Amino acid sequence: MRKLLKFGLKIGILIVAVIFISNVYVEQKAKGKTYNSVNDIPYNKVGLVLGTSKYVASGRVNLFYQFRVNAAIELYKAGKVKYIIVSGDNGTKNYDEPTAFKEDLIKGGIPAENIYLDYAGFRTLDSVVRCKEIFGQESVTIISQQFHNKRAITIANAKNIDAIGYNARDVGGNSGTKVKIRELLARVKLSLDLLFHKQPKFLGEKVIIPD
């Protein structure tokens, strides 16, 4: 029993250490690269909105979604991006994150012809890598909540993409806390993905975004 307790303690310490190191790694790589004000953020031709579901299980609008929509509209109207790529999950006929975003971005005043959809953004890594490999962007402004932007910027840095982040409003309460706890584990997964050179689930034909 004592040996089992010692073994369990060692495993627990290892897990905590891996989470800590992964978190520090992301924070360092993204340091100084996220912005809260449209007045301060530099211009990029393209903004990359990271997908999420429009609704939560209760049927209410997902605030992470709504605040990303708002942030993308703010950035576009401030003249800090010319085009928007919405990258999200469209794994089934009944689940289509990119199209939902596009509809709300158009309602917010962004012309349809300035919005490009990436239906294979199943994970943050896929969205970031496909932004370069499919849409040809080596410089991009990522649009999501700050904690998510930092992880995406870390991926971009590893893939030789010059990325900054525009921070959508954060979400508080229980839902915000749960997401941030999951983010700690996502950063561990990120470290493993980069270590083992994980690639997107799909690539495909290139899409040309005009100047």
Side-chain angles (χ1 to χ4, degrees), residues 110-155:
I110 301 179
E113 60 268 24
N114 287 53
I115 303 171
Y116 289 80
L117 302 185
D118 175 15
Y119 294 106
F122 300 111
R123 300 171 52 214
T124 304
L125 183 140
D126 296 54
S127 297
V128 172
V129 174
R130 285 175 56 83
C131 183
K132 179 180 180 180
E133 299 299 328
I134 301 302
F135 294 91
Q137 304 306 303
E138 297 187 356
S139 179
V140 67
T141 297
I142 299 169
I143 304 165
S144 187
Q145 278 68 31
Q146 185 176 42
F147 66 87
H148 195 191
N149 280 340
K150 289 181 176 180
R151 176 157 50 94
I153 288 168
T154 302
I155 296 169

mmCIF file of all heavy atoms in Angstrom, residues 110-155:
data_model
loop_
_atom_site.group_PDB
_atom_site.id
_atom_site.type_symbol
_atom_site.label_atom_id
_atom_site.label_comp_id
_atom_site.label_asym_id
_atom_site.label_seq_id
_atom_site.Cartn_x
_atom_site.Cartn_y
_atom_site.Cartn_z
ATOM 1 N N ILE A 110 -20.379 43.166 -42.038
ATOM 2 C CA ILE A 110 -19.245 42.730 -42.848
ATOM 3 C C ILE A 110 -19.772 42.142 -44.153
ATOM 4 O O ILE A 110 -20.611 41.235 -44.133
ATOM 5 C CB ILE A 110 -18.389 41.680 -42.102
ATOM 6 C CG1 ILE A 110 -17.867 42.272 -40.784
ATOM 7 C CG2 ILE A 110 -17.217 41.217 -42.971
ATOM 8 C CD1 ILE A 110 -17.022 41.304 -39.969
ATOM 9 N N PRO A 111 -19.315 42.627 -45.309
ATOM 10 C CA PRO A 111 -19.815 42.116 -46.597
ATOM 11 C C PRO A 111 -19.519 40.620 -46.757
ATOM 12 O O PRO A 111 -18.448 40.141 -46.365
ATOM 13 C CB PRO A 111 -19.039 42.937 -47.628
ATOM 14 C CG PRO A 111 -18.590 44.156 -46.902
ATOM 15 C CD PRO A 111 -18.345 43.721 -45.490
ATOM 16 N N ALA A 112 -20.442 39.903 -47.354
ATOM 17 C CA ALA A 112 -20.289 38.465 -47.547
ATOM 18 C C ALA A 112 -19.032 38.125 -48.326
ATOM 19 O O ALA A 112 -18.361 37.117 -48.048
ATOM 20 C CB ALA A 112 -21.523 37.895 -48.254
ATOM 21 N N GLU A 113 -18.682 38.975 -49.306
ATOM 22 C CA GLU A 113 -17.524 38.687 -50.151
ATOM 23 C C GLU A 113 -16.201 38.865 -49.405
ATOM 24 O O GLU A 113 -15.138 38.479 -49.911
ATOM 25 C CB GLU A 113 -17.537 39.567 -51.404
ATOM 26 C CG GLU A 113 -17.496 41.052 -51.139
ATOM 27 C CD GLU A 113 -18.877 41.685 -51.042
ATOM 28 O OE1 GLU A 113 -19.858 40.953 -50.722
ATOM 29 O OE2 GLU A 113 -18.988 42.901 -51.283
ATOM 30 N N ASN A 114 -16.254 39.415 -48.220
ATOM 31 C CA ASN A 114 -15.041 39.589 -47.415
ATOM 32 C C ASN A 114 -14.901 38.509 -46.341
ATOM 33 O O ASN A 114 -14.021 38.588 -45.493
ATOM 34 C CB ASN A 114 -15.036 40.967 -46.747
ATOM 35 C CG ASN A 114 -14.771 42.090 -47.730
ATOM 36 O OD1 ASN A 114 -15.454 42.191 -48.750
ATOM 37 N ND2 ASN A 114 -13.788 42.919 -47.463
ATOM 38 N N ILE A 115 -15.781 37.518 -46.404
ATOM 39 C CA ILE A 115 -15.765 36.440 -45.416
ATOM 40 C C ILE A 115 -15.472 35.121 -46.117
ATOM 41 O O ILE A 115 -16.132 34.756 -47.096
ATOM 42 C CB ILE A 115 -17.111 36.341 -44.676
ATOM 43 C CG1 ILE A 115 -17.453 37.681 -43.992
ATOM 44 C CG2 ILE A 115 -17.073 35.219 -43.640
ATOM 45 C CD1 ILE A 115 -18.854 37.724 -43.426
ATOM 46 N N TYR A 116 -14.489 34.397 -45.616
ATOM 47 C CA TYR A 116 -14.123 33.079 -46.144
ATOM 48 C C TYR A 116 -14.371 32.033 -45.058
ATOM 49 O O TYR A 116 -14.111 32.284 -43.878
ATOM 50 C CB TYR A 116 -12.653 33.059 -46.572
ATOM 51 C CG TYR A 116 -12.389 33.873 -47.813
ATOM 52 C CD1 TYR A 116 -12.259 35.262 -47.738
ATOM 53 C CD2 TYR A 116 -12.280 33.276 -49.061
ATOM 54 C CE1 TYR A 116 -12.038 36.024 -48.874
ATOM 55 C CE2 TYR A 116 -12.050 34.036 -50.212
ATOM 56 C CZ TYR A 116 -11.928 35.401 -50.110
ATOM 57 O OH TYR A 116 -11.706 36.143 -51.238
ATOM 58 N N LEU A 117 -14.874 30.892 -45.486
ATOM 59 C CA LEU A 117 -15.223 29.843 -44.535
ATOM 60 C C LEU A 117 -14.267 28.658 -44.636
ATOM 61 O O LEU A 117 -13.982 28.178 -45.734
ATOM 62 C CB LEU A 117 -16.656 29.370 -44.765
ATOM 63 C CG LEU A 117 -17.744 30.446 -44.669
ATOM 64 C CD1 LEU A 117 -19.120 29.810 -44.790
ATOM 65 C CD2 LEU A 117 -17.626 31.229 -43.376
ATOM 66 N N ASP A 118 -13.802 28.220 -43.498
ATOM 67 C CA ASP A 118 -12.974 27.020 -43.397
ATOM 68 C C ASP A 118 -13.780 25.984 -42.624
ATOM 69 O O ASP A 118 -13.915 26.078 -41.406
ATOM 70 C CB ASP A 118 -11.661 27.334 -42.675
ATOM 71 C CG ASP A 118 -10.821 26.092 -42.433
ATOM 72 O OD1 ASP A 118 -11.113 25.055 -43.053
ATOM 73 O OD2 ASP A 118 -9.878 26.173 -41.625
ATOM 74 N N TYR A 119 -14.301 25.014 -43.350
ATOM 75 C CA TYR A 119 -15.185 24.029 -42.738
ATOM 76 C C TYR A 119 -14.444 22.899 -42.034
ATOM 77 O O TYR A 119 -15.075 22.037 -41.427
ATOM 78 C CB TYR A 119 -16.097 23.421 -43.807
ATOM 79 C CG TYR A 119 -17.074 24.401 -44.411
ATOM 80 C CD1 TYR A 119 -16.886 24.885 -45.703
ATOM 81 C CD2 TYR A 119 -18.191 24.830 -43.708
ATOM 82 C CE1 TYR A 119 -17.777 25.778 -46.276
ATOM 83 C CE2 TYR A 119 -19.093 25.727 -44.271
ATOM 84 C CZ TYR A 119 -18.879 26.195 -45.557
ATOM 85 O OH TYR A 119 -19.767 27.091 -46.111
ATOM 86 N N ALA A 120 -13.119 22.889 -42.118
ATOM 87 C CA ALA A 120 -12.336 21.792 -41.525
ATOM 88 C C ALA A 120 -11.493 22.258 -40.354
ATOM 89 O O ALA A 120 -10.444 21.693 -40.070
ATOM 90 C CB ALA A 120 -11.451 21.153 -42.596
ATOM 91 N N GLY A 121 -11.971 23.283 -39.654
ATOM 92 C CA GLY A 121 -11.262 23.732 -38.458
ATOM 93 C C GLY A 121 -11.725 22.958 -37.236
ATOM 94 O O GLY A 121 -12.312 23.505 -36.301
ATOM 95 N N PHE A 122 -11.449 21.666 -37.237
ATOM 96 C CA PHE A 122 -11.947 20.791 -36.170
ATOM 97 C C PHE A 122 -11.269 21.056 -34.833
ATOM 98 O O PHE A 122 -11.842 20.818 -33.780
ATOM 99 C CB PHE A 122 -11.758 19.327 -36.561
ATOM 100 C CG PHE A 122 -12.478 18.953 -37.822
ATOM 101 C CD1 PHE A 122 -11.786 18.641 -38.978
ATOM 102 C CD2 PHE A 122 -13.860 18.930 -37.861
ATOM 103 C CE1 PHE A 122 -12.446 18.310 -40.146
ATOM 104 C CE2 PHE A 122 -14.543 18.603 -39.018
ATOM 105 C CZ PHE A 122 -13.832 18.293 -40.167
ATOM 106 N N ARG A 123 -10.025 21.528 -34.905
ATOM 107 C CA ARG A 123 -9.279 21.873 -33.698
ATOM 108 C C ARG A 123 -8.532 23.173 -33.962
ATOM 109 O O ARG A 123 -8.375 23.582 -35.118
ATOM 110 C CB ARG A 123 -8.271 20.763 -33.352
ATOM 111 C CG ARG A 123 -8.904 19.410 -33.104
ATOM 112 C CD ARG A 123 -7.836 18.328 -32.978
ATOM 113 N NE ARG A 123 -6.830 18.713 -32.000
ATOM 114 C CZ ARG A 123 -5.539 18.398 -32.087
ATOM 115 N NH1 ARG A 123 -5.103 17.721 -33.138
ATOM 116 N NH2 ARG A 123 -4.691 18.750 -31.155
ATOM 117 N N THR A 124 -8.068 23.795 -32.902
ATOM 118 C CA THR A 124 -7.317 25.047 -33.060
ATOM 119 C C THR A 124 -6.105 24.842 -33.948
ATOM 120 O O THR A 124 -5.793 25.680 -34.802
ATOM 121 C CB THR A 124 -6.897 25.584 -31.682
ATOM 122 O OG1 THR A 124 -8.059 25.753 -30.861
ATOM 123 C CG2 THR A 124 -6.174 26.922 -31.813
ATOM 124 N N LEU A 125 -5.411 23.729 -33.774
ATOM 125 C CA LEU A 125 -4.246 23.446 -34.609
ATOM 126 C C LEU A 125 -4.634 23.393 -36.082
ATOM 127 O O LEU A 125 -3.942 23.958 -36.933
ATOM 128 C CB LEU A 125 -3.587 22.135 -34.181
ATOM 129 C CG LEU A 125 -2.311 21.743 -34.931
ATOM 130 C CD1 LEU A 125 -1.274 21.156 -33.981
ATOM 131 C CD2 LEU A 125 -2.601 20.769 -36.065
ATOM 132 N N ASP A 126 -5.731 22.726 -36.394
ATOM 133 C CA ASP A 126 -6.197 22.642 -37.774
ATOM 134 C C ASP A 126 -6.482 24.036 -38.330
ATOM 135 O O ASP A 126 -6.091 24.370 -39.451
ATOM 136 C CB ASP A 126 -7.474 21.801 -37.848
ATOM 137 C CG ASP A 126 -7.260 20.357 -37.443
ATOM 138 O OD1 ASP A 126 -6.744 20.130 -36.330
ATOM 139 O OD2 ASP A 126 -7.602 19.462 -38.224
ATOM 140 N N SER A 127 -7.166 24.872 -37.554
ATOM 141 C CA SER A 127 -7.529 26.213 -38.017
ATOM 142 C C SER A 127 -6.303 27.050 -38.329
ATOM 143 O O SER A 127 -6.242 27.728 -39.359
ATOM 144 C CB SER A 127 -8.368 26.921 -36.939
ATOM 145 O OG SER A 127 -9.588 26.243 -36.722
ATOM 146 N N VAL A 128 -5.314 26.997 -37.442
ATOM 147 C CA VAL A 128 -4.122 27.822 -37.620
ATOM 148 C C VAL A 128 -3.285 27.333 -38.799
ATOM 149 O O VAL A 128 -2.863 28.127 -39.652
ATOM 150 C CB VAL A 128 -3.286 27.839 -36.323
ATOM 151 C CG1 VAL A 128 -1.942 28.528 -36.555
ATOM 152 C CG2 VAL A 128 -4.051 28.537 -35.205
ATOM 153 N N VAL A 129 -3.052 26.041 -38.874
ATOM 154 C CA VAL A 129 -2.219 25.498 -39.950
ATOM 155 C C VAL A 129 -2.905 25.689 -41.300
ATOM 156 O O VAL A 129 -2.273 26.065 -42.294
ATOM 157 C CB VAL A 129 -1.901 24.012 -39.707
ATOM 158 C CG1 VAL A 129 -1.168 23.416 -40.908
ATOM 159 C CG2 VAL A 129 -1.053 23.859 -38.449
ATOM 160 N N ARG A 130 -4.211 25.476 -41.370
ATOM 161 C CA ARG A 130 -4.936 25.625 -42.623
ATOM 162 C C ARG A 130 -4.975 27.086 -43.079
ATOM 163 O O ARG A 130 -5.032 27.363 -44.277
ATOM 164 C CB ARG A 130 -6.357 25.068 -42.478
ATOM 165 C CG ARG A 130 -6.403 23.546 -42.485
ATOM 166 C CD ARG A 130 -7.811 23.016 -42.209
ATOM 167 N NE ARG A 130 -8.775 23.557 -43.154
ATOM 168 C CZ ARG A 130 -8.994 23.073 -44.366
ATOM 169 N NH1 ARG A 130 -8.320 22.011 -44.790
ATOM 170 N NH2 ARG A 130 -9.901 23.629 -45.172
ATOM 171 N N CYS A 131 -4.916 28.023 -42.144
ATOM 172 C CA CYS A 131 -4.864 29.434 -42.506
ATOM 173 C C CYS A 131 -3.662 29.709 -43.402
ATOM 174 O O CYS A 131 -3.737 30.501 -44.343
ATOM 175 C CB CYS A 131 -4.801 30.282 -41.237
ATOM 176 S SG CYS A 131 -4.812 32.054 -41.537
ATOM 177 N N LYS A 132 -2.559 29.024 -43.130
ATOM 178 C CA LYS A 132 -1.354 29.179 -43.948
ATOM 179 C C LYS A 132 -1.377 28.264 -45.167
ATOM 180 O O LYS A 132 -1.159 28.708 -46.300
ATOM 181 C CB LYS A 132 -0.116 28.879 -43.104
ATOM 182 C CG LYS A 132 1.196 28.983 -43.881
ATOM 183 C CD LYS A 132 2.388 28.664 -42.990
ATOM 184 C CE LYS A 132 3.703 28.775 -43.751
ATOM 185 N NZ LYS A 132 4.863 28.454 -42.882
ATOM 186 N N GLU A 133 -1.646 26.980 -44.956
ATOM 187 C CA GLU A 133 -1.508 25.988 -46.021
ATOM 188 C C GLU A 133 -2.616 26.057 -47.062
ATOM 189 O O GLU A 133 -2.387 25.767 -48.239
ATOM 190 C CB GLU A 133 -1.447 24.580 -45.412
ATOM 191 C CG GLU A 133 -0.270 24.353 -44.482
ATOM 192 C CD GLU A 133 1.064 24.526 -45.177
ATOM 193 O OE1 GLU A 133 1.158 24.234 -46.388
ATOM 194 O OE2 GLU A 133 2.028 24.974 -44.515
ATOM 195 N N ILE A 134 -3.821 26.419 -46.645
ATOM 196 C CA ILE A 134 -4.961 26.474 -47.570
ATOM 197 C C ILE A 134 -5.238 27.904 -48.031
ATOM 198 O O ILE A 134 -5.435 28.165 -49.219
ATOM 199 C CB ILE A 134 -6.225 25.878 -46.926
ATOM 200 C CG1 ILE A 134 -5.982 24.417 -46.520
ATOM 201 C CG2 ILE A 134 -7.411 25.992 -47.894
ATOM 202 C CD1 ILE A 134 -5.575 23.511 -47.671
ATOM 203 N N PHE A 135 -5.202 28.851 -47.107
ATOM 204 C CA PHE A 135 -5.574 30.228 -47.438
ATOM 205 C C PHE A 135 -4.361 31.124 -47.695
ATOM 206 O O PHE A 135 -4.517 32.308 -47.984
ATOM 207 C CB PHE A 135 -6.448 30.808 -46.329
ATOM 208 C CG PHE A 135 -7.784 30.122 -46.201
ATOM 209 C CD1 PHE A 135 -7.947 29.033 -45.345
ATOM 210 C CD2 PHE A 135 -8.880 30.535 -46.949
ATOM 211 C CE1 PHE A 135 -9.170 28.383 -45.230
ATOM 212 C CE2 PHE A 135 -10.109 29.894 -46.841
ATOM 213 C CZ PHE A 135 -10.252 28.813 -45.981
ATOM 214 N N GLY A 136 -3.167 30.575 -47.582
ATOM 215 C CA GLY A 136 -1.958 31.273 -47.988
ATOM 216 C C GLY A 136 -1.519 32.444 -47.122
ATOM 217 O O GLY A 136 -0.775 33.304 -47.569
ATOM 218 N N GLN A 137 -1.952 32.463 -45.850
ATOM 219 C CA GLN A 137 -1.633 33.592 -44.979
ATOM 220 C C GLN A 137 -0.468 33.268 -44.046
ATOM 221 O O GLN A 137 -0.534 32.314 -43.277
ATOM 222 C CB GLN A 137 -2.864 33.991 -44.161
ATOM 223 C CG GLN A 137 -4.076 34.327 -45.003
ATOM 224 C CD GLN A 137 -3.780 35.380 -46.048
ATOM 225 O OE1 GLN A 137 -3.324 36.487 -45.721
ATOM 226 N NE2 GLN A 137 -4.036 35.058 -47.316
ATOM 227 N N GLU A 138 0.567 34.070 -44.121
ATOM 228 C CA GLU A 138 1.717 33.909 -43.231
ATOM 229 C C GLU A 138 1.733 34.964 -42.142
ATOM 230 O O GLU A 138 2.610 34.976 -41.292
ATOM 231 C CB GLU A 138 3.012 33.935 -44.035
ATOM 232 C CG GLU A 138 3.109 32.769 -45.020
ATOM 233 C CD GLU A 138 4.455 32.683 -45.701
ATOM 234 O OE1 GLU A 138 5.296 33.567 -45.468
ATOM 235 O OE2 GLU A 138 4.659 31.723 -46.462
ATOM 236 N N SER A 139 0.738 35.869 -42.172
ATOM 237 C CA SER A 139 0.545 36.879 -41.140
ATOM 238 C C SER A 139 -0.951 36.997 -40.901
ATOM 239 O O SER A 139 -1.720 37.143 -41.852
ATOM 240 C CB SER A 139 1.138 38.218 -41.587
ATOM 241 O OG SER A 139 0.934 39.211 -40.611
ATOM 242 N N VAL A 140 -1.377 36.942 -39.645
ATOM 243 C CA VAL A 140 -2.814 36.880 -39.368
ATOM 244 C C VAL A 140 -3.120 37.425 -37.979
ATOM 245 O O VAL A 140 -2.278 37.374 -37.069
ATOM 246 C CB VAL A 140 -3.321 35.422 -39.490
ATOM 247 C CG1 VAL A 140 -2.728 34.537 -38.399
ATOM 248 C CG2 VAL A 140 -4.838 35.355 -39.477
ATOM 249 N N THR A 141 -4.341 37.960 -37.835
ATOM 250 C CA THR A 141 -4.852 38.353 -36.525
ATOM 251 C C THR A 141 -5.875 37.322 -36.087
ATOM 252 O O THR A 141 -6.896 37.132 -36.753
ATOM 253 C CB THR A 141 -5.522 39.743 -36.576
ATOM 254 O OG1 THR A 141 -4.543 40.722 -36.944
ATOM 255 C CG2 THR A 141 -6.101 40.109 -35.215
ATOM 256 N N ILE A 142 -5.603 36.650 -34.994
ATOM 257 C CA ILE A 142 -6.495 35.608 -34.487
ATOM 258 C C ILE A 142 -7.514 36.245 -33.550
ATOM 259 O O ILE A 142 -7.178 37.099 -32.728
ATOM 260 C CB ILE A 142 -5.691 34.511 -33.771
ATOM 261 C CG1 ILE A 142 -4.718 33.855 -34.766
ATOM 262 C CG2 ILE A 142 -6.622 33.469 -33.163
ATOM 263 C CD1 ILE A 142 -3.698 32.949 -34.125
ATOM 264 N N ILE A 143 -8.768 35.831 -33.682
ATOM 265 C CA ILE A 143 -9.861 36.436 -32.920
ATOM 266 C C ILE A 143 -10.551 35.373 -32.077
ATOM 267 O O ILE A 143 -11.219 34.469 -32.591
ATOM 268 C CB ILE A 143 -10.883 37.100 -33.865
ATOM 269 C CG1 ILE A 143 -10.185 38.133 -34.766
ATOM 270 C CG2 ILE A 143 -12.006 37.760 -33.057
ATOM 271 C CD1 ILE A 143 -11.010 38.567 -35.955
ATOM 272 N N SER A 144 -10.363 35.487 -30.772
ATOM 273 C CA SER A 144 -11.010 34.596 -29.818
ATOM 274 C C SER A 144 -10.802 35.194 -28.423
ATOM 275 O O SER A 144 -10.297 36.320 -28.300
ATOM 276 C CB SER A 144 -10.424 33.177 -29.898
ATOM 277 O OG SER A 144 -11.169 32.288 -29.080
ATOM 278 N N GLN A 145 -11.167 34.471 -27.372
ATOM 279 C CA GLN A 145 -10.866 34.939 -26.033
ATOM 280 C C GLN A 145 -9.346 34.869 -25.800
ATOM 281 O O GLN A 145 -8.656 34.077 -26.444
ATOM 282 C CB GLN A 145 -11.602 34.097 -24.988
ATOM 283 C CG GLN A 145 -13.050 34.509 -24.779
ATOM 284 C CD GLN A 145 -13.956 34.236 -25.968
ATOM 285 O OE1 GLN A 145 -13.737 33.287 -26.720
ATOM 286 N NE2 GLN A 145 -14.982 35.056 -26.151
ATOM 287 N N GLN A 146 -8.844 35.659 -24.877
ATOM 288 C CA GLN A 146 -7.398 35.792 -24.714
ATOM 289 C C GLN A 146 -6.697 34.458 -24.459
ATOM 290 O O GLN A 146 -5.653 34.173 -25.055
ATOM 291 C CB GLN A 146 -7.066 36.772 -23.589
ATOM 292 C CG GLN A 146 -5.566 37.048 -23.459
ATOM 293 C CD GLN A 146 -5.264 38.082 -22.401
ATOM 294 O OE1 GLN A 146 -5.840 38.076 -21.317
ATOM 295 N NE2 GLN A 146 -4.351 38.994 -22.711
ATOM 296 N N PHE A 147 -7.248 33.636 -23.564
ATOM 297 C CA PHE A 147 -6.588 32.366 -23.250
ATOM 298 C C PHE A 147 -6.480 31.489 -24.500
ATOM 299 O O PHE A 147 -5.479 30.798 -24.695
ATOM 300 C CB PHE A 147 -7.332 31.631 -22.130
ATOM 301 C CG PHE A 147 -8.715 31.159 -22.496
ATOM 302 C CD1 PHE A 147 -8.927 29.934 -23.114
ATOM 303 C CD2 PHE A 147 -9.826 31.946 -22.220
ATOM 304 C CE1 PHE A 147 -10.203 29.495 -23.447
ATOM 305 C CE2 PHE A 147 -11.106 31.523 -22.546
ATOM 306 C CZ PHE A 147 -11.290 30.301 -23.170
ATOM 307 N N HIS A 148 -7.490 31.547 -25.354
ATOM 308 C CA HIS A 148 -7.501 30.760 -26.582
ATOM 309 C C HIS A 148 -6.548 31.362 -27.616
ATOM 310 O O HIS A 148 -5.826 30.645 -28.314
ATOM 311 C CB HIS A 148 -8.931 30.711 -27.133
ATOM 312 C CG HIS A 148 -9.157 29.673 -28.170
ATOM 313 N ND1 HIS A 148 -10.307 29.613 -28.933
ATOM 314 C CD2 HIS A 148 -8.381 28.635 -28.603
ATOM 315 C CE1 HIS A 148 -10.226 28.592 -29.753
ATOM 316 N NE2 HIS A 148 -9.066 27.985 -29.589
ATOM 317 N N ASN A 149 -6.544 32.685 -27.700
ATOM 318 C CA ASN A 149 -5.621 33.358 -28.607
ATOM 319 C C ASN A 149 -4.171 32.978 -28.308
ATOM 320 O O ASN A 149 -3.370 32.776 -29.219
ATOM 321 C CB ASN A 149 -5.778 34.883 -28.494
ATOM 322 C CG ASN A 149 -6.954 35.411 -29.276
ATOM 323 O OD1 ASN A 149 -7.448 34.767 -30.190
ATOM 324 N ND2 ASN A 149 -7.413 36.603 -28.920
ATOM 325 N N LYS A 150 -3.835 32.921 -27.033
ATOM 326 C CA LYS A 150 -2.457 32.605 -26.652
ATOM 327 C C LYS A 150 -2.056 31.216 -27.139
ATOM 328 O O LYS A 150 -0.936 31.023 -27.633
ATOM 329 C CB LYS A 150 -2.292 32.718 -25.139
ATOM 330 C CG LYS A 150 -2.331 34.144 -24.631
ATOM 331 C CD LYS A 150 -2.136 34.200 -23.125
ATOM 332 C CE LYS A 150 -2.084 35.640 -22.630
ATOM 333 N NZ LYS A 150 -1.884 35.731 -21.166
ATOM 334 N N ARG A 151 -2.949 30.263 -27.013
ATOM 335 C CA ARG A 151 -2.636 28.908 -27.488
ATOM 336 C C ARG A 151 -2.502 28.898 -29.008
ATOM 337 O O ARG A 151 -1.603 28.256 -29.559
ATOM 338 C CB ARG A 151 -3.720 27.931 -27.021
ATOM 339 C CG ARG A 151 -3.553 26.516 -27.537
ATOM 340 C CD ARG A 151 -4.263 25.492 -26.654
ATOM 341 N NE ARG A 151 -5.620 25.847 -26.366
ATOM 342 C CZ ARG A 151 -6.686 25.438 -27.054
ATOM 343 N NH1 ARG A 151 -6.521 24.661 -28.129
ATOM 344 N NH2 ARG A 151 -7.916 25.788 -26.699
ATOM 345 N N ALA A 152 -3.404 29.596 -29.692
ATOM 346 C CA ALA A 152 -3.345 29.648 -31.156
ATOM 347 C C ALA A 152 -2.070 30.333 -31.636
ATOM 348 O O ALA A 152 -1.454 29.907 -32.626
ATOM 349 C CB ALA A 152 -4.576 30.364 -31.698
ATOM 350 N N ILE A 153 -1.669 31.389 -30.953
ATOM 351 C CA ILE A 153 -0.441 32.099 -31.322
ATOM 352 C C ILE A 153 0.778 31.198 -31.126
ATOM 353 O O ILE A 153 1.720 31.229 -31.923
ATOM 354 C CB ILE A 153 -0.308 33.392 -30.488
ATOM 355 C CG1 ILE A 153 -1.342 34.420 -30.970
ATOM 356 C CG2 ILE A 153 1.099 33.974 -30.578
ATOM 357 C CD1 ILE A 153 -1.489 35.614 -30.049
ATOM 358 N N THR A 154 0.763 30.392 -30.097
ATOM 359 C CA THR A 154 1.863 29.451 -29.857
ATOM 360 C C THR A 154 1.978 28.449 -30.996
ATOM 361 O O THR A 154 3.080 28.139 -31.459
ATOM 362 C CB THR A 154 1.653 28.716 -28.523
ATOM 363 O OG1 THR A 154 1.567 29.676 -27.463
ATOM 364 C CG2 THR A 154 2.794 27.755 -28.234
ATOM 365 N N ILE A 155 0.842 27.964 -31.470
ATOM 366 C CA ILE A 155 0.841 27.062 -32.629
ATOM 367 C C ILE A 155 1.384 27.792 -33.853
ATOM 368 O O ILE A 155 2.228 27.268 -34.585
ATOM 369 C CB ILE A 155 -0.582 26.542 -32.905
ATOM 370 C CG1 ILE A 155 -1.089 25.700 -31.739
ATOM 371 C CG2 ILE A 155 -0.615 25.731 -34.209
ATOM 372 C CD1 ILE A 155 -2.570 25.373 -31.814
#
